[in-house]
Amino acid sequence: MIRIVLASLLATVPAQLLAQAPAPAAASPEAAPYPKGQLTDLVQPQDYRLDLTVDPAKEGFSGHAEIDALLKRPSTTIHLHGRDFVMRSATARVGNRTFAGSWKQLDDTGVAALTFAELLPAGPVILAFDYDAKFQDGPAGMFRVQVGGDWYSWSQFESIDARAAFPGFDQPSFKTSFTVTLRTPPGLKAVSNAPETETKIENGLAVHRFARTLPLPTYLVAMMVGPFETVASEVAPTPQRAKPLPLRVVSTRQNAAKLDFALQGSKEIVALLEDYFADGFPYPKLDQITSPIMPGAMENAGADLYGDPILVMDRDAPTPQKRQFGMVVAHELAHQWFGDLVTPTWWDDIWLNESFANWMGYRIGQEWRPDLNIGAGALAEGFAAMDTDALVAGRPIHQPIATNGEIDSAFDSITYGKGGHVVAMIAAFMGDIPFRDGVRRYMAAHRYGNATSTDFFKAMAEAAHDPRIVPAMQSFIDQQGVPLLTFSRTAEGGYTVRQSRYAALGTTAPATRWGVPLCLRRGEARACSLLTDESATIELPAGSGPLVPNAGGTGYYRFELPAADWDALIAGTDKLSGGEAQALVDSLHASVLAGRGNATRLAALAENLVHHPDTYASDRATDALGDLAAMGLLDDRGRRGLRRLVERLYRPLLTQYGFDPRAGAYSAEAPERAQRRVQIVGRLAGAGRDKELRRRISTATRAFLAGDGKALDRAWYGMGFEMSVAQGKVSAAKALVDKALASEDPAFRPVALGAAANSGSKDVANWLLNGLSDKRLRASEKNDLLRGVLLTGQTREIGYTYLRANLDALTSGSNGIFFSSRLPQFLAHFCSAERADEFARDLRPRFAGKPGALELERTIERVRNCGLLRDKRETAISSEFARFR
């Protein structure tokens, strides 16, 4: 799975900074204990037969489910999962006898008890259920959306939402086959994991029967129904697969003309993955399915689900959208092997699924289209994760998960960003071929089964032939925090390096020791060693030039240098790779946040990097300066200094690159050049506040919104729409939102709604949250509007007032893994110790025991750290900015 904020997918410049279900039965204080996390070993499910009647135009669906199972001991009670069902019948069949059962949901996570009046004997049993359930209006469980007048339904079951679609044993250790039947109104298409074997009309309904699946956990089951459009082809045979692989892209009707890019790209990515794993695609067909409200993607076996903007595009789509396609499709298809074919035993090992797939997404995406520079995004995501990992409140990548309420916290930037970066670091240290061989060894040993982190470490150790690799890897996976490597000069002209845990100004982090794969570079010479002691004298590479403390940028650590070494490294940025430049910016920015570094040196780095050919690196230092401004660390003099600097750095570049806002003006350009122009325009029109550039964008946007579809390219939608709302206030916002809600274009609708939320207008924010009641606005889109309002400085207080008043609704219902667990992140741009205390006092009790509890603690710490930094450094930092010319 991967999560993306769809509203910002095509807005390539950063923004300005429920159906009612039956209430679960409450367990009384005297109720018997029941499993609140992993189920016991009492029951082993062996096969499912699911028969669901699904009409997306209705509020709910009905189902008949049968589970062949083995009861290991006699019992009157079976604990399993099912959430918010109206249970009409629940029975157990043992031989020729049928035992009537009583169904009771025990908590709101969907743990249920099936009890019988007499003892069920040990041995084979068939559990059978007839039930009714509600569709959700957000991407969790079985959810439905109206698109262009038609109703569609999809399933999204990770992590624990399969239990909202059918009763079962909803945890990853139980891998069984599923035989799915979907009964729908005639004329609708149905999609599941296995190929469809038969469709016929029975009792006025179309009955879609699917082949029995290969072994799957419940969270990878897929059931989609609607008047879908499809484009179909085959992935040609490869050395790893003798037969063609049937492939379809499945989407809602209005997207039919924009599916070929995804069809052709998916073919190529499948073949690249087969080559990496040395194994043919593990399932008999592949459907790539889209939904307009899926805020990311999900690796259902043979039936991946994506948000519309990830797949729906043509060959003129902006570079970031094509990058997103390559990375996300490679990520989800890598899961077909690493996650689906071999599945974690329990959620504490989900990091292994997602961290590896994140690394593979960037790696295979880069191999698919090197011209898009997809691979550089992996390090960008990893360095961004360090900001979260540096907090005292947090968790290691590999964390114990005792209860259902803790599961969703595992799907965060630590798992994806940090985990992917650590995988990249280990792969770089081991060497690409030995690491790949370890992956293949692991996959072969656990094919169609379950595995643990220990199994993966064992395979890596056998492939590496280096016993130090496993403890080094475990030190990063089992411990929280970012290593800080402090380099000091020796009298002999060499260096000593000391490791500690990085901490922001005013924060004391616990003492931590890692096995750090330390790779250094000087000129063309590179040397790697494993730093396990607290400090060591290092052997320098034999080359000449400044010391590069993180060769290639793959190391998951920050560094601190003597002043002369900082300056030498900054002066030599033209000799740094994109990853090394990203590592340099991250470490220098972190030094400023820790109270050691200074903004003047960061500005010098921005001036040198602005000409770097890697678009992931070229603006990193400029954006780091912008982050300090967004934290409220600058007075008016400092803000004017930042504008002068941006104008001086980017105005000549705009002259060099040129600017034409019309659609397709640069469609023939190389992707990196086209993307560089977007970034130049964004910084100059944003932080630089360039009046003439903003006028040109505004003029083109007005023409576009008035009906001239060629006036504005998709690359400028986010900027142009935000300017339109900022200038026209509520009237412009109402017109833009109405236009968005009348459209199903995934390149327009989410970006237009996001622009209204990010406008910075208090009147607009009030209208969006408290006055907008259009039935066309989807529940997930309402949540995205709140996010935009809260993350924009001028409207933050309005968003917080709304959040407090509606918190119960926001953290319940059909928000699933994609929203409620991340809701506290929306508050992270507040900046004061007083506000941190307020969050702790007012919000901590309301998030207790919920998936967002950890994220709230991180937010409280971020807000407090920001306030402390502002109190101690605002005057000094503002003075530095004021001197920028």
Side-chain angles (χ1 to χ4, degrees), residues 184-427:
T184 75
L188 299 186
K189 292 184 174 69
V191 181
S192 190
N193 305 90
E196 190 169 356
T197 58
E198 178 186 47
T199 303
K200 63 181 182 179
I201 302 298
E202 294 180 3
N203 300 319
L205 292 176
V207 181
H208 307 265
R209 291 188 170 90
F210 298 88
R212 186 169 180 254
T213 71
L214 293 162
L216 300 175
T218 48
Y219 79 87
L220 292 175
V221 174
M223 295 179 282
M224 325 296 191
V225 172
F228 292 112
E229 292 287 342
T230 64
V231 294
S233 185
E234 292 179 333
V235 186
T238 63
Q240 299 80 29
R241 174 177 39 80
K243 296 181 179 179
L245 173 69
L247 170 67
R248 296 188 301 178
V249 179
V250 181
S251 190
T252 53
R253 282 176 169 170
Q254 83 287 349
N255 295 330
K258 293 186 176 182
L259 304 179
D260 189 65
F261 182 92
L263 186 71
Q264 301 307 320
S266 296
K267 287 183 188 180
E268 295 158 3
I269 290 171
V270 166
L272 291 170
L273 286 163
E274 289 180 323
D275 179 67
Y276 184 86
F277 288 114
D279 188 14
F281 191 80
Y283 301 101
K285 61 88 177 173
L286 173 61
D287 287 324
Q288 301 276 73
I289 308 151
T290 85
S291 167
I293 67 167
M294 183 71 177
M298 177 64 207
E299 65 271 16
N300 307 310
D304 284 356
L305 179 62
Y306 302 83
D308 276 357
I310 300 171
L311 296 192
V312 180
M313 71 187 81
D314 55 32
R315 297 192 180 278
D316 292 335
T319 298
Q321 191 181 13
K322 291 178 180 177
R323 284 176 173 172
Q324 200 77 259
F325 169 86
M327 183 272 167
V328 176
V329 169
H331 175 120
E332 301 307 330
L333 293 183
H335 271 314
Q336 301 292 303
W337 288 266
F338 207 103
D340 296 7
L341 181 62
V342 179
T343 305
T345 300
W346 178 241
W347 296 107
D348 55 359
D349 280 325
I350 197 63
W351 74 270
L352 185 55
N353 265 20
E354 300 300 341
S355 299
F356 178 83
N358 227 46
W359 176 74
M360 281 292 281
Y362 287 109
R363 176 202 164 87
I364 297 297
Q366 179 71 20
E367 192 174 351
W368 169 65
R369 284 283 302 271
D371 61 320
L372 292 171
N373 193 26
I374 292 171
L379 299 183
E381 188 173 350
F383 288 123
M386 289 185 185
D387 292 337
T388 297
D389 199 25
L391 300 170
V392 174
R395 66 175 186 87
I397 299 173
H398 185 206
Q399 64 168 349
I401 293 177
T403 68
N404 291 320
E406 297 169 353
I407 293 171
D408 284 355
S409 68
F411 294 86
D412 64 1
S413 64
I414 298 303
T415 291
Y416 292 89
K418 178 181 180 178
H421 202 139
V422 169
V423 170
M425 176 174 65
I426 297 300

Side-chain angles (χ1 to χ4, degrees), residues 464-795:
H465 305 294
D466 185 344
R468 303 175 304 162
I469 285 293
V470 168
M473 189 185 305
Q474 288 177 311
S475 74
F476 279 88
I477 288 164
D478 293 335
Q479 297 184 119
Q480 182 190 347
V482 180
L484 175 66
L485 304 187
T486 301
F487 290 78
S488 303
R489 290 271 190 173
T490 66
E492 295 77 21
Y495 292 87
T496 60
V497 61
R498 180 176 60 84
Q499 63 163 299
S500 60
R501 179 168 163 177
Y502 173 85
L505 179 67
T507 301
T508 301
T512 312
R513 183 84 58 82
W514 292 267
V516 182
L518 175 62
C519 290
L520 310 175
R521 184 174 67 80
R522 293 177 72 193
E524 298 300 317
R526 174 186 172 113
C528 293
S529 59
L530 194 62
L531 177 65
T532 56
D533 294 330
E534 181 179 352
S535 62
T537 300
I538 57 175
E539 185 174 339
L540 291 176
S544 61
L547 174 68
V548 180
N550 190 347
T554 56
Y556 188 83
Y557 52 82
R558 286 170 167 165
F559 53 83
E560 191 73 53
L561 298 174
D565 290 277
W566 279 124
D567 294 338
L569 195 54
I570 291 168
T573 50
D574 59 326
K575 301 295 194 302
L576 298 181
S577 70
E580 290 165 347
Q582 289 192 57
L584 171 56
V585 175
D586 174 77
S587 289
L588 184 53
H589 185 210
S591 183
V592 174
L593 296 180
R596 294 184 293 268
N598 61 71
T600 302
R601 189 168 277 135
L602 196 55
L605 179 55
E607 185 163 0
N608 286 359
L609 269 186
V610 78
H611 300 289
H612 200 284
D614 187 330
T615 57
Y616 277 100
S618 53
D619 295 321
R620 293 279 292 179
T622 306
D623 291 344
L625 292 168
D627 288 343
L628 297 176
M631 293 171 69
L633 296 175
L634 303 184
D635 57 20
D636 288 341
R637 295 180 307 122
R639 286 188 288 271
R640 287 194 295 271
L642 178 59
R643 286 197 294 271
R644 288 193 298 270
L645 178 68
V646 171
E647 173 73 22
R648 180 170 64 83
L649 296 184
Y650 288 87
R651 168 56 62 183
L653 289 172
L654 185 65
T655 301
Q656 174 187 341
Y657 278 76
F659 175 63
D660 183 346
R662 290 176 299 177
Y666 302 108
S667 60
E669 277 191 335
E672 277 280 84
R673 181 175 175 84
Q675 176 60 16
R676 187 70 191 117
R677 179 183 293 101
V678 171
Q679 295 174 192
I680 291 165
V681 170
R683 274 66 184 181
L684 201 54
R689 312 300 293 177
D690 185 279
K691 292 181 180 180
E692 173 58 21
L693 183 55
R694 291 174 68 86
R695 183 195 65 76
R696 293 181 64 186
I697 296 171
S698 295
T699 299
T701 302
R702 283 194 298 272
F704 174 83
L705 294 176
D708 182 0
K710 299 293 186 182
L712 191 71
D713 191 82
R714 283 168 285 179
W716 319 113
Y717 279 7
M719 275 185 284
F721 299 159
E722 285 187 25
M723 290 179 191
S724 175
V725 177
Q727 293 163 4
K729 306 299 182 186
V730 174
S731 61
K734 287 183 176 180
L736 182 62
V737 168
D738 182 68
K739 196 175 185 71
L741 297 181
S743 172
E744 295 295 351
D745 181 356
F748 173 75
R749 178 170 173 143
V751 180
L753 291 174
N758 298 333
S759 70
S761 166
K762 294 180 180 180
D763 290 339
V764 171
N766 267 316
W767 172 69
L768 289 173
L769 297 183
N770 302 304
L772 177 58
S773 58
D774 196 308
K775 292 182 180 179
R776 296 172 296 176
L777 184 69
R778 296 159 184 156
S780 60
E781 292 171 333
K782 185 77 171 179
N783 294 339
D784 288 339
L785 293 178
L786 174 61
R787 176 184 177 276
V789 168
L790 273 166
L791 293 179
T792 302
Q794 301 93 319
T795 58

Side-chain angles (χ1 to χ4, degrees), residues 68-92:
D68 295 343
L70 180 65
L71 187 64
K72 295 185 178 180
R73 297 177 295 278
S75 181
T76 58
T77 301
I78 292 174
H79 287 113
L80 70 169
H81 298 115
R83 191 169 70 229
D84 300 340
F85 294 142
V86 176
M87 187 62 67
R88 291 183 274 110
S89 171
T91 63

Side-chain angles (χ1 to χ4, degrees), residues 20-25 48 50 52 60-65 67 80-90 103-113 129-136 141-142 157 160-170 223:
Q20 294 299 311
Y48 285 75
L50 304 177
L52 275 65
F61 59 95
S62 62
H64 174 77
I67 308 171
L80 70 169
H81 298 115
R83 191 169 70 229
D84 300 340
F85 294 142
V86 176
M87 187 62 67
R88 291 183 274 110
S89 171
W103 173 273
K104 183 178 182 180
Q105 183 176 331
L106 301 176
D107 63 22
D108 59 6
T109 72
V111 181
F129 307 89
D130 291 287
Y131 61 96
D132 299 306
K134 294 281 189 180
F135 283 114
Q136 304 298 307
M142 296 279 283
F157 292 158
I160 55 171
D161 288 318
R163 63 192 65 178
F166 55 89
F169 300 83
D170 189 20
M223 295 179 282

